[in-house]
Amino acid sequence: MEQQKPRVAIQGIRASFHEEAAFKFFGENITTIECNSFKQTFDKLQAREADYVVMAIENSIAGSILPNYSLLLSYNFPVIGEIYLPIQLHLMGLPGVKFEDIKTAMSHPIAIRQCDDFFNEHPQLKVVESSDTAACAKRIREEQLTDTVAIANSLAAKLYDLQILERRIESNKKNFTRFLILTHHENAVNINANKASLCFQVSNEVGSLAKVLNILAEEGVNMSKIQSMPVLGKRNEYNFYVDVEWEDDKAYDTAIRQVLKYTHNFNILGEYKRYVEE
């Protein structure tokens, strides 16, 4: 029997950065489930219309995508992996279109912000915001727009048969986005895990968070990220989202047992292998 392709839910459409991240994690032999929102990707997973979700969680320029932390907690699907994707933005239009013919540039607001220097150099271009980078490329192809360009990745140029007029127009060449991969509990096998995403609350007393952080340090567990978010409807109460990395499983297990004494509503959102650039 032929093995079924993994169905991967992404926010956005084919050839978006989310699909590029999915290809990087799973390879290109997947079925991409296009969704209008991050919440919809989780709903597809919950309804078993998808096997996995690939979701952006932070960008090196724009910072953390805070609403997505809330989704992690409210749906409670395990994180089984991560991918860091360099964000390379290209200016693309229909084949044969010349730069001097262009009047309008379309893209996602975050992508537009990441190309400030380019737009400062070309103030004649009207900038139009859209919900998705790849959707802009698709629209140019479908509507045969000869005076409009999209800012998107090379995957979008290839899929929608567009010509790249200017490469790498992002202002910061070290721009990357981190994506998390989530699935159903029965699919979550954490072989050789050396990273975990945790969420917990601490009491509103002096030094309560410091106690937790000291335990991690004493056990040699590295905290690679901390993000706090207010607990909805509770004054002075915060969820702390913490990513930790370790070399020794025993040290991690000991640290977790100790941390439990000083936290409440403690959740392990996922244990997985740390992403290492090949």
Side-chain angles (χ1 to χ4, degrees), residues 185-204:
H185 284 275
E186 66 268 25
N187 290 346
V189 184
N190 52 16
I191 300 162
N192 300 328
N194 57 6
K195 186 168 183 176
S197 294
L198 315 173
C199 180
F200 54 81
Q201 293 166 28
V202 293
S203 57
N204 188 18

Side-chain angles (χ1 to χ4, degrees), residues 98-126:
K98 294 187 172 60
F99 191 82
E100 51 269 27
D101 303 332
I102 300 163
K103 296 189 176 75
T104 306
M106 298 190 296
S107 198
H108 188 280
I110 290 179
I112 289 166
R113 279 211 305 278
Q114 290 169 355
C115 300
D116 276 349
D117 294 351
F118 177 82
F119 287 116
N120 290 339
E121 286 167 26
H122 301 284
Q124 78 280 11
L125 295 178
K126 182 187 171 198

Side-chain angles (χ1 to χ4, degrees), residues 3 11 21 30 32 35 38 56 89 103 113 123 134 141 165 171-172 188 213 221 231 255 257 269:
Q3 202 177 3
Q11 185 271 325
I30 63 171
T32 301
C35 298
F38 288 114
L89 296 163
K103 296 189 176 75
R113 279 211 305 278
R141 168 52 58 197
L165 296 163
S171 304
N172 187 327
L213 302 185
V221 174
V231 176
R257 276 201 305 277
L269 300 172

Side-chain angles (χ1 to χ4, degrees), residues 91-92 102-108 112 118-119 124-130 136 140 147-151 169:
L91 202 71
M92 58 192 71
I102 300 163
K103 296 189 176 75
T104 306
M106 298 190 296
S107 198
H108 188 280
I112 289 166
F118 177 82
F119 287 116
Q124 78 280 11
L125 295 178
K126 182 187 171 198
V127 179
V128 175
E129 293 186 353
S130 168
C136 296
I140 287 172
D147 63 349
T148 304
V149 287
I151 300 163
I169 64 166

Side-chain angles (χ1 to χ4, degrees), residues 6 11 43 53 59 65 78 104-105 117 129 138 169 177 183 200 204 235 238 244 266 268 272 275-276:
Q11 185 271 325
D43 290 339
V53 162
N59 174 267
I65 304 167
T104 306
D117 294 351
E129 293 186 353
K138 188 181 182 186
I169 64 166
T177 296
T183 189
F200 54 81
N204 188 18
R235 202 162 69 87
Y238 291 86
V244 296
F266 183 91
I268 296 177
Y272 47 96
Y275 175 69
V276 179

